[in-house]
Amino acid sequence: WPADSLDEVDAKLALAHVYLGRMAREDGDFARATTELTTALQLDPASALAAREMGSVQLVSGQPDLAVKFFT
């Protein structure tokens, strides 16, 4: 099998951080969710899923002004 490109590896790692962020959000740990989703977005800046999750975290943590930039 050919090795994954670095971009593919980063995208897979980003997805793992998205799921960790989602679980933290569901547990009410918004700081941890923000950390995980920031990592996801650093690994894959084009990830719509990571952006949507980050917007959700910002919204439920009472920061709608920050949330808007992740939904647009």
Side-chain angles (χ1 to χ4, degrees):
W1 297 93
D4 289 340
S5 72
L6 289 178
D7 288 338
E8 291 171 327
V9 171
D10 283 349
K12 289 176 185 175
L13 289 173
L15 186 58
H17 285 282
V18 168
Y19 290 129
L20 289 170
R22 181 180 291 168
M23 288 186 291
R25 175 179 54 84
E26 290 173 355
D27 286 342
D29 188 348
F30 304 132
R32 177 65 181 203
T34 299
T35 298
E36 293 296 346
L37 294 165
T38 297
T39 300
L41 288 166
Q42 288 171 340
L43 290 167
D44 187 2
S47 172
L49 182 60
R52 186 184 75 208
E53 284 297 323
M54 181 67 92
S56 295
V57 168
Q58 300 306 318
L59 192 60
V60 298
S61 65
Q63 300 180 56
D65 293 339
L66 292 175
V68 169
K69 77 176 193 172
F70 293 102
F71 290 126
T72 56

